Amino acid sequence: MDPLLLNFSVNGQSRSISVDASATLLDVLREQLALSGTKKGCDHGQCGACTVLVDGRRINACLTLAAMQEGRSITTIEGLADGDVLHDLQKAFIEHDAFQCGYCTPGQICSAVGFINEGHADAVKSRDAGSDDTLRDVIREFMSGNLCRCGAYTNIVDAIMHVVQERERI
Ligand code: FES
Ligand code: FES
Protein backbone atom coordinates (compact mmCIF):
# COMPACT_ATOMS: atom_id res chain seq x y z
CA MET A 1 0.00 0.00 0.00
CA ASP A 2 1.33 3.46 -0.88
CA PRO A 3 2.33 5.71 2.01
CA LEU A 4 0.08 8.67 2.81
CA LEU A 5 1.10 12.25 3.47
CA LEU A 6 -0.10 13.29 6.93
CA ASN A 7 -0.26 16.92 8.03
CA PHE A 8 -0.91 17.44 11.70
CA SER A 9 0.35 19.24 14.76
CA VAL A 10 2.35 17.45 17.43
CA ASN A 11 3.08 19.26 20.69
CA GLY A 12 2.44 22.59 19.00
CA GLN A 13 4.65 21.96 15.97
CA SER A 14 3.24 21.48 12.46
CA ARG A 15 4.44 18.20 11.01
CA SER A 16 4.13 16.83 7.51
CA ILE A 17 5.22 13.22 7.26
CA SER A 18 4.72 10.19 5.12
CA VAL A 19 2.99 7.35 6.99
CA ASP A 20 1.96 3.83 6.19
CA ALA A 21 -1.84 3.67 5.85
CA SER A 22 -1.96 0.91 8.47
CA ALA A 23 0.42 2.55 10.97
CA THR A 24 -0.98 3.34 14.39
CA LEU A 25 -0.58 6.78 15.88
CA LEU A 26 1.45 5.14 18.66
CA ASP A 27 4.01 3.67 16.27
CA VAL A 28 4.27 6.89 14.28
CA LEU A 29 4.85 8.93 17.44
CA ARG A 30 7.44 6.54 18.84
CA GLU A 31 9.21 5.34 15.71
CA GLN A 32 8.92 8.16 13.17
CA LEU A 33 8.84 11.18 15.46
CA ALA A 34 11.08 9.73 18.23
CA LEU A 35 8.53 10.66 20.92
CA SER A 36 9.15 7.62 23.08
CA GLY A 37 7.47 9.11 26.16
CA THR A 38 4.22 7.54 24.98
CA LYS A 39 4.48 3.91 26.01
CA LYS A 40 3.43 0.70 24.33
CA GLY A 41 2.01 -1.72 26.87
CA CYS A 42 -0.63 -4.14 25.58
CA ASP A 43 -0.95 -2.63 22.07
CA HIS A 44 -4.60 -3.72 22.24
CA GLY A 45 -6.45 -0.88 23.97
CA GLN A 46 -6.46 -2.51 27.38
CA CYS A 47 -3.83 -0.74 29.51
CA GLY A 48 -3.86 2.98 28.70
CA ALA A 49 -0.06 3.28 28.59
CA CYS A 50 -0.35 4.83 25.12
CA THR A 51 -2.82 7.58 26.09
CA VAL A 52 -2.31 10.89 24.26
CA LEU A 53 -4.53 13.90 23.69
CA VAL A 54 -6.12 14.60 20.31
CA ASP A 55 -7.63 18.07 20.18
CA GLY A 56 -7.65 17.94 23.99
CA ARG A 57 -9.46 14.60 24.28
CA ARG A 58 -7.70 11.46 25.45
CA ILE A 59 -7.39 8.45 23.20
CA ASN A 60 -5.49 5.19 23.09
CA ALA A 61 -2.86 5.81 20.41
CA CYS A 62 -2.44 2.05 19.84
CA LEU A 63 -6.03 1.79 18.60
CA THR A 64 -5.88 4.87 16.36
CA LEU A 65 -4.61 5.03 12.82
CA ALA A 66 -2.15 7.85 12.28
CA ALA A 67 -3.72 8.46 8.88
CA MET A 68 -6.95 9.54 10.62
CA GLN A 69 -5.22 12.45 12.37
CA GLU A 70 -5.05 14.79 9.37
CA GLY A 71 -5.38 18.39 10.62
CA ARG A 72 -5.59 17.36 14.26
CA SER A 73 -3.55 18.56 17.20
CA ILE A 74 -1.77 15.84 19.18
CA THR A 75 -0.30 16.37 22.63
CA THR A 76 2.00 13.78 24.16
CA ILE A 77 3.68 13.76 27.54
CA GLU A 78 6.62 15.61 25.95
CA GLY A 79 4.30 18.51 25.11
CA LEU A 80 2.77 19.14 28.54
CA ALA A 81 5.56 21.08 30.21
CA ASP A 82 6.17 24.73 29.35
CA GLY A 83 9.92 24.70 28.80
CA ASP A 84 11.48 23.85 32.15
CA VAL A 85 8.20 24.40 33.99
CA LEU A 86 6.37 21.14 34.53
CA HIS A 87 2.63 20.84 34.03
CA ASP A 88 0.69 20.92 37.31
CA LEU A 89 -0.14 17.23 36.97
CA GLN A 90 3.52 16.33 36.40
CA LYS A 91 4.43 18.26 39.56
CA ALA A 92 1.61 16.61 41.50
CA PHE A 93 2.67 13.11 40.44
CA ILE A 94 6.17 13.84 41.77
CA GLU A 95 4.93 15.47 44.97
CA HIS A 96 2.52 12.61 45.69
CA ASP A 97 4.98 9.87 44.73
CA ALA A 98 2.41 8.62 42.22
CA PHE A 99 4.62 6.12 40.41
CA GLN A 100 7.09 3.34 40.98
CA CYS A 101 8.57 2.02 37.71
CA GLY A 102 7.01 4.94 35.80
CA TYR A 103 5.99 2.92 32.74
CA CYS A 104 2.32 3.81 33.02
CA THR A 105 2.97 7.39 34.13
CA PRO A 106 2.92 9.28 30.79
CA GLY A 107 -0.40 7.66 29.95
CA GLN A 108 -1.76 8.31 33.45
CA ILE A 109 -0.84 11.99 33.25
CA CYS A 110 -2.21 12.52 29.73
CA SER A 111 -5.37 10.70 30.76
CA ALA A 112 -5.68 12.89 33.86
CA VAL A 113 -5.41 16.02 31.69
CA GLY A 114 -8.22 14.63 29.53
CA PHE A 115 -10.25 13.70 32.60
CA ILE A 116 -10.09 17.25 33.93
CA ASN A 117 -10.82 18.76 30.52
CA GLU A 118 -13.92 16.56 30.25
CA GLY A 119 -15.42 18.37 33.25
CA HIS A 120 -16.33 15.35 35.42
CA ALA A 121 -14.65 16.84 38.46
CA ASP A 122 -16.47 20.15 37.96
CA ALA A 123 -19.77 18.26 37.78
CA VAL A 124 -19.05 16.56 41.12
CA LYS A 125 -18.11 19.85 42.71
CA SER A 126 -21.39 21.48 41.74
CA ARG A 127 -23.52 18.38 42.42
CA ASP A 128 -22.12 17.13 45.72
CA ALA A 129 -20.61 20.28 47.17
CA GLY A 130 -17.18 18.92 46.38
CA SER A 131 -17.37 15.77 48.52
CA ASP A 132 -13.84 14.31 48.58
CA ASP A 133 -15.13 10.73 48.66
CA THR A 134 -17.34 11.29 45.62
CA LEU A 135 -14.54 13.04 43.79
CA ARG A 136 -12.15 10.19 44.50
CA ASP A 137 -14.75 7.70 43.20
CA VAL A 138 -15.21 9.72 40.02
CA ILE A 139 -11.46 9.95 39.47
CA ARG A 140 -11.12 6.19 39.96
CA GLU A 141 -13.99 5.50 37.56
CA PHE A 142 -12.82 7.79 34.78
CA MET A 143 -9.16 6.78 35.16
CA SER A 144 -10.02 3.07 35.15
CA GLY A 145 -8.72 2.64 31.61
CA ASN A 146 -5.19 3.37 32.81
CA LEU A 147 -3.68 0.37 34.54
CA CYS A 148 -0.69 0.50 36.87
CA ARG A 149 1.04 -2.81 37.40
CA CYS A 150 2.94 -1.32 40.33
CA GLY A 151 -0.33 -0.59 42.09
CA ALA A 152 0.32 3.11 42.67
CA TYR A 153 -3.39 3.86 42.36
CA THR A 154 -3.89 5.53 45.75
CA ASN A 155 -1.14 8.04 45.11
CA ILE A 156 -2.25 8.60 41.51
CA VAL A 157 -5.73 9.52 42.77
CA ASP A 158 -4.12 11.77 45.42
CA ALA A 159 -2.13 13.59 42.73
CA ILE A 160 -5.17 14.14 40.53
CA MET A 161 -7.27 15.19 43.54
CA HIS A 162 -4.64 17.77 44.40
CA VAL A 163 -4.77 19.34 40.94
CA VAL A 164 -8.56 19.20 40.73
CA GLN A 165 -8.83 20.99 44.05
CA GLU A 166 -6.24 23.60 43.07
CA ARG A 167 -7.78 24.66 39.80
CA GLU A 168 -11.04 24.64 37.92
CA ARG A 169 -9.70 23.82 34.46
CA ILE A 170 -6.36 22.84 32.94
S1 FES B 1 -0.70 0.12 24.63
FE1 FES B 1 -2.52 1.13 24.05
S2 FES B 1 -3.96 0.57 25.55
FE2 FES B 1 -2.20 -0.62 26.03
S1 FES C 1 4.26 2.95 38.09
FE1 FES C 1 4.83 0.99 37.31
S2 FES C 1 3.15 0.46 36.05
FE2 FES C 1 2.48 2.24 37.06
Side-chain angles (χ1 to χ4, degrees):
M1 202 177 294
D2 289 340
L4 302 170
L5 182 64
L6 172 63
N7 302 290
F8 63 164
S9 160
V10 181
N11 295 334
Q13 281 193 315
S14 294
R15 308 297 298 248
S16 187
I17 58 173
S18 177
V19 299
D20 189 288
S22 63
T24 64
L25 178 59
L26 176 60
D27 286 342
V28 167
L29 290 172
R30 288 179 57 84
E31 293 167 21
Q32 287 186 244
L33 298 180
L35 292 169
S36 57
T38 306
K39 301 305 182 202
K40 182 181 281 192
C42 64
D43 210 18
H44 284 87
Q46 294 172 350
C47 74
C50 63
T51 306
V52 298
L53 299 160
V54 176
D55 294 338
R57 298 188 67 83
R58 52 190 171 156
I59 61 150
N60 288 336
C62 73
L63 291 184
T64 307
L65 290 176
M68 294 170 64
Q69 307 311 313
E70 177 71 24
R72 299 204 181 272
S73 175
I74 314 294
T75 304
T76 70
I77 190 70
E78 291 92 342
L80 288 183
D82 183 6
D84 290 337
V85 180
L86 293 179
H87 188 284
D88 285 351
L89 275 161
Q90 292 174 305
K91 287 184 211 161
F93 268 62
I94 293 169
E95 285 163 9
H96 290 270
D97 204 16
F99 49 83
Q100 291 181 36
C101 76
Y103 198 81
C104 72
T105 310
Q108 299 278 4
I109 292 175
C110 285
S111 190
V113 173
F115 163 76
I116 293 174
N117 284 345
E118 288 157 19
H120 308 295
D122 296 337
V124 170
K125 282 186 193 171
S126 55
R127 195 177 61 227
D128 295 311
S131 153
D132 280 3
D133 286 345
T134 308
L135 195 48
R136 292 185 82 86
D137 287 346
V138 167
I139 292 171
R140 274 192 284 269
E141 179 183 349
F142 283 96
M143 291 295 295
S144 62
N146 290 82
L147 305 185
C148 174
R149 295 184 67 160
C150 299
Y153 294 111
T154 302
N155 294 17
I156 290 168
V157 173
D158 286 347
I160 299 170
M161 278 283 285
H162 175 86
V163 175
V164 165
Q165 288 172 331
E166 289 291 307
R167 55 201 298 207
E168 292 295 319
R169 223 21 164 228
I170 294 180

